[in-house]
């Protein structure tokens, strides 16, 4: 499949969020990535339900909601109701991961599991067949603008091999430090969805930055 681009609005101008959502609507971006942080699972706080609902009102692309929170089961339905098309929970935050994944699917959302840089993807072997997507964190979660961790390429190759055996249609998403310098190599390693924040919103021409990421590796 051709890879997808999911611009992350964590790097958007919050005072002009509608403008930035409309920019994504009119770009080659495929999804809108929404990072939810609770100040506990990660040392930062970002959006709540009112912001997600407001984004949904203007978005013409699917909302790709990434929950970096403890006990995410408490809020899955609320994020679905706020407009999430896909919901990502962290392997590290879910002691009953299979049940969490099944609930996300029952809500009608794409079910996705994220793994932090220190978490081996082989730990997903018994759940990967039930997933719509795996998110490989290429930085430690919590803040934008971090330096890309090179071991990500190996992890992408590992999950690509696992998916080939157990779930060939799996989306493989990568998030953190994605830009024009590594996009093609990430796609080559196995990524099918690129999340990009700072490299899009700090660009002089964000629409062109998205188009460049979309054409990487083609």
């Amino acid at each position: 499949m051709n890879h997808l681009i999911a611009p992350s609005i964590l790097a958007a101008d919050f005072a002009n969020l509608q403008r930035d959502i409309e920019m994504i609507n009119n770009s080659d971006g495929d999804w809108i990535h929404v990072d939810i942080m609770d100040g506990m699972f990660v040392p930062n706080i970002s959006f709540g339900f009112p912001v997600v609902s407001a984004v949904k009102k203007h978005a013409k692309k699917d909302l790709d909601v990434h929950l970096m929170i403890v006990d995410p089961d408490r809020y899955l339905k609320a994020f679905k109701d706020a407009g999430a098309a896909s919901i990502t929970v962290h392997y590290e935050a879910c002691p009953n991961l299979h049940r969490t994944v099944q609930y996300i699917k029952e809500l009608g959302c794409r079910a996705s599991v994220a793994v932090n840089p220190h978490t081996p993807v082989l730990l997903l072997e018994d759940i990967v067949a039930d997933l719509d997507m795996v998110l490989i964190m290429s930085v430690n979660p919590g803040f934008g603008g971090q330096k890309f961790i090179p071991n990500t390429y190996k992890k992408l190759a590992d999950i690509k091999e696992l998916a080939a055996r157990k779930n060939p249609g799996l989306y493989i998403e990568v998030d953190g430090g994605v830009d024009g310098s590594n996009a093609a190599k990430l796609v080559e390693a196995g990524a099918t969805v690129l999340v990009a924040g700072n490299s899009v919103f700090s660009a002089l021409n964000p629409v062109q930055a998205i188009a460049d990421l979309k054409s990487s590796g083609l």
Side-chain angles (χ1 to χ4, degrees):
M1 69 177 84
N2 291 333
H3 64 276
L4 308 181
I5 305 300
S8 172
I9 59 171
L10 186 65
D13 180 350
F14 295 166
N16 292 284
L17 195 51
Q18 180 180 346
R19 179 203 66 192
D20 285 353
I21 295 300
E22 290 171 350
M23 180 275 293
I24 299 172
N25 288 339
N26 294 316
S27 76
D28 289 334
D30 299 282
W31 299 344
I32 297 172
H33 191 78
V34 185
D35 287 309
I36 307 297
M37 308 181 194
D38 64 358
M40 298 176 68
F41 183 72
V42 293
N44 198 7
I45 295 174
S46 62
F47 309 112
F49 305 117
V51 173
V52 178
S53 297
V55 169
K56 177 61 178 175
K57 288 179 182 177
H58 299 287
K60 296 179 182 176
K61 311 288 177 78
D62 282 359
L63 299 191
D64 177 34
V65 175
H66 177 194
L67 302 183
M68 289 174 269
I69 65 177
V70 297
D71 195 10
D73 300 60
R74 296 173 295 167
Y75 300 116
L76 297 176
K77 186 176 186 303
F79 280 109
K80 160 64 177 177
D81 292 344
S86 60
I87 297 177
T88 299
V89 297
H90 269 260
Y91 173 89
E92 302 84 1
C94 297
N96 300 293
L97 185 58
H98 183 270
R99 181 163 58 198
T100 301
V101 166
Q102 293 307 310
Y103 185 36
I104 294 172
K105 299 184 92 161
E106 288 170 11
L107 291 171
C109 296
R110 284 186 295 266
S112 171
V113 171
V115 291
N116 282 342
H118 70 280
T119 302
V121 298
L122 292 178
L123 291 173
L124 300 178
E125 182 155 8
D126 290 339
I127 191 73
V128 71
D130 297 305
L131 302 178
D132 298 300
M133 183 164 72
V134 167
L135 169 54
I136 303 297
M137 291 300 300
S138 46
V139 299
N140 289 295
F143 296 95
Q146 295 184 68
K147 187 176 180 180
F148 177 86
I149 297 173
N151 190 52
T152 300
Y153 297 118
K154 178 185 180 300
K155 295 183 74 171
L156 287 169
D158 288 344
I159 194 64
K160 181 180 180 180
E161 188 276 332
L162 185 58
R165 288 193 287 112
K166 297 203 166 189
N167 187 353
L170 184 75
Y171 287 108
I172 300 174
E173 188 172 47
V174 61
D175 182 5
V178 175
D179 58 27
S181 72
N182 58 21
K185 190 173 179 182
L186 291 168
V187 172
E188 181 182 1
T192 59
V193 185
L194 303 180
V195 176
N198 285 343
S199 65
V200 167
F201 289 101
S202 66
L204 292 176
N205 185 338
V207 171
Q208 185 61 50
I210 293 170
D212 291 344
L213 290 170
K214 186 73 173 178
S215 63
S216 296
L218 297 181

